[in-house]
């Protein structure tokens, strides 16, 4: 396939495609899908609204022709959607795609790790916000202990998957877990990435007062005496990475509040019902599913996809204030894919 890179209004290329395969999740994390909003009677999308594997693969192939090199499967919880290895195999066959990753809460990962590996997944990101079992049970809204996720992660590693852990840090909720988490995963040799609490969606009660910044966490871990910067693996890498002195273990930081990285953001998002979003904090998307299902040719789809990116001028995190965050309606994280 001829490669035809496309740039947005701020001369940013398109390199990363994040695909949400479902809006459902088996957790009710307070910052993403709080159970007060997503109760037992919450109406998730019916199956016919979701893109099929064939539709997703078709769109991914078009994105690859415009410069996308990495795909990450997200949700909701992607492992809830049946037959995911089938999609992974389809995506692996697309020319130009160099890596397919997966973000998961980890609960079902142990059971599915081998089939994911066999299909072609090599890297998974597991969300884990505390080691303390009672606190973690409160955060996930289901009372599931951290031990269940840690066991799943170990099974994934035994299957050959490279596991990275993501921790969303909130002041007054789980900031006391920063040191225990860092020590635990350093011993395991697993990279731990600290994520600043973000105002994704409208349901998580975000406030700047609840943000623990990268600088604060960095100093808690020992700062320059303990951590050495690591060069980015590729242009536009979101995580700022550090290696512990005298070892190979790493920590990372996603700093979308205190040190915004909009200027190098190369991510585009495809929601589970086929809308394109050019920012995690988007207020609206572009309906690609209607085009897909009305018989559009690849050329017509390509023109639409290219047009969405070429019009893109998003730089929300660079412009955010507490007031603008409160006043802006945003798409929920479970829908758009984190």
């Amino acid at each position: 396939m001829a490669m035809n890179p496309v740039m947005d209004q701020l001369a940013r290329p398109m390199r990363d495609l994040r695909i949400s395969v479902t809006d459902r999740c088996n957790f009710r994390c307070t910052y993403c899908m709080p159970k007060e909003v997503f109760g037992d009677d919450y109406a998730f999308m019916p199956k016919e609204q979701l893109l099929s594997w064939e539709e997703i693969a078709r769109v991914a192939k078009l994105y690859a022709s415009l410069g996308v090199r990495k795909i990450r499967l997200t949700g909701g919880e992607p492992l809830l959607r049946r037959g995911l290895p089938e999609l992974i195999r389809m995506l692996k066959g697309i020319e130009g795609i160099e890596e397919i990753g997966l973000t998961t809460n980890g609960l079902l990962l142990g059971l599915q790790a081998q089939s994911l590996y066999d299909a072609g997944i090599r890297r998974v990101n597991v969300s884990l916000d505390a080691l303390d079992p009672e606190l973690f049970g409160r955060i996930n809204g289901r009372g599931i202990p951290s031990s269940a996720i840690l066991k799943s992660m170990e099974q994934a590693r035994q299957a050959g998957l490279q596991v990275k852990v993501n921790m969303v840090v909130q002041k007054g909720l789980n900031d006391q877990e920063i040191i225990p988490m860092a020590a635990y995963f350093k011993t395991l040799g697993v990279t731990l990435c600290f994520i600043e609490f973000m105002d994704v969606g409208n349901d998580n009660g975000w406030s700047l007062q609840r943000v623990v910044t990268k600088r604060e966490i960095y100093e808690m871990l020992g700062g320059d005496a303990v951590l050495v910067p690591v060069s980015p693996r590729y242009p536009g890498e979101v995580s700022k990475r550090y290696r512990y002195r005298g070892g190979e273990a790493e920590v990372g930081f996603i700093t979308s509040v205190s040190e915004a990285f909009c200027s190098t953001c190369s991510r585009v998002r495809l929601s589970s019902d086929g809308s394109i979003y050019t920012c995690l904090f988007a207020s609206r998307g572009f309906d690609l599913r209607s085009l897909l299902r009305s018989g559009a040719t690849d050329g017509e789809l390509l023109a639409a996809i290219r047009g969405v990116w070429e019009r893109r001028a998003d730089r929300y995190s660079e412009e955010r204030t507490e007031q603008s965050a409160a006043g802006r309606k945003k798409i929920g994280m479970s829908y758009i894919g984190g």
Side-chain angles (χ1 to χ4, degrees):
M1 187 186 290
M3 298 305 168
N4 196 3
V6 59
M7 296 286 183
D8 72 4
Q9 297 281 308
L10 302 177
R12 295 170 295 191
M14 187 161 51
R15 288 284 179 265
D16 306 84
L17 173 62
R18 301 180 87 87
I19 301 171
S20 173
V21 297
T22 180
D23 62 330
R24 296 170 187 267
C25 188
N26 42 7
F27 279 11
R28 288 295 178 270
C29 295
T30 49
Y31 56 81
C32 182
M33 294 177 70
K35 56 189 174 188
E36 295 78 17
V37 178
F38 297 86
D40 292 337
D41 57 348
Y42 185 82
F44 290 98
M45 285 179 209
K47 189 178 178 189
E48 62 272 13
Q49 284 188 24
L50 303 177
L51 292 188
S52 68
W53 293 159
E54 291 75 18
E55 287 171 327
I56 289 173
R58 183 184 179 194
V59 172
K61 188 174 181 181
L62 296 173
Y63 269 109
S65 76
L66 294 174
V68 163
R69 293 291 166 267
K70 290 178 61 185
I71 290 175
R72 180 161 291 278
L73 301 175
T74 71
E77 172 47 53
L79 299 184
L80 283 176
R81 187 156 172 191
R82 290 203 184 106
L84 195 61
E86 183 187 343
L87 173 64
I88 294 163
R89 279 188 280 272
M90 293 166 80
L91 297 176
K92 282 290 286 185
I94 295 174
E95 183 183 346
I97 298 301
E98 297 167 0
E99 182 183 316
I100 301 171
L102 176 86
T103 297
T104 172
N105 62 32
L107 189 60
L108 301 173
L109 180 60
L111 295 172
Q112 299 188 31
Q114 194 61 56
S115 60
L116 291 170
Y117 184 91
D118 293 344
I121 290 279
R122 292 295 177 267
R123 294 158 65 96
V124 294
N125 286 19
V126 177
S127 300
L128 183 71
D129 296 327
L131 287 175
D132 179 89
E134 190 274 330
L135 175 58
F136 181 64
R138 267 196 292 129
I139 292 173
N140 66 53
R142 293 289 194 233
I144 294 160
S146 51
S147 56
I149 311 305
L150 297 173
K151 180 183 176 186
S152 241
M153 285 171 49
E154 189 48 44
Q155 290 170 302
R157 295 176 75 207
Q158 287 171 5
L161 294 170
Q162 184 182 343
V163 175
K164 189 173 97 173
V165 175
N166 289 339
M167 177 187 183
V168 176
V169 182
Q170 294 185 57
K171 195 169 290 182
L173 178 67
N174 65 337
D175 48 342
Q176 74 279 10
E177 289 284 300
I178 291 169
I179 300 299
M181 288 274 288
Y184 184 88
F185 290 108
K186 179 186 177 185
T187 302
L188 276 188
V190 168
T191 297
L192 171 61
C193 189
F194 296 101
I195 301 176
E196 292 180 345
F197 180 43
M198 292 181 277
D199 54 318
V200 181
N202 302 296
D203 302 320
N204 68 4
W206 183 83
S207 157
L208 268 174
Q209 275 64 55
R210 293 171 63 192
V211 175
V212 184
T213 66
K214 174 224 172 176
R215 172 55 52 190
E216 291 173 295
I217 299 171
Y218 182 81
E219 295 301 337
M220 286 172 73
L221 297 180
D224 298 342
V226 173
L227 299 171
V228 185
V230 177
S231 299
R233 280 189 298 259
Y234 52 88
E237 182 175 23
V238 167
S239 178
K240 295 179 170 71
R241 294 160 52 230
Y242 294 80
R243 180 177 50 77
Y244 288 103
R245 291 188 186 276
E248 294 302 312
E250 290 186 6
V251 290
F253 300 88
I254 295 180
T255 60
S256 80
V257 178
S258 69
E259 299 172 24
F261 41 81
C262 301
S263 62
T264 57
C265 178
S266 58
R267 292 179 173 184
V268 61
R269 290 173 162 80
L270 181 68
S271 69
S272 41
D273 64 347
S275 287
I276 303 170
Y277 293 90
T278 53
C279 180
L280 180 58
F281 305 97
S283 297
R284 60 182 181 273
F286 176 86
D287 176 14
L288 195 66
R289 186 185 65 191
S290 294
L291 271 179
L292 274 168
R293 294 185 179 176
S294 64
T297 65
D298 279 359
E300 289 167 333
L301 291 171
L302 205 58
I305 288 168
R306 172 186 279 277
V308 169
W309 191 262
E310 286 178 340
R311 291 189 296 273
R312 176 194 192 230
D314 303 302
R315 43 189 290 268
Y316 174 80
S317 287
E318 291 179 348
E319 301 168 328
R320 174 203 290 109
T321 64
E322 188 129 27
Q323 289 71 33
S324 69
R328 175 175 169 137
K329 184 167 174 60
K330 298 181 287 290
I331 305 299
M333 186 186 268
S334 61
Y335 174 80
I336 202 172

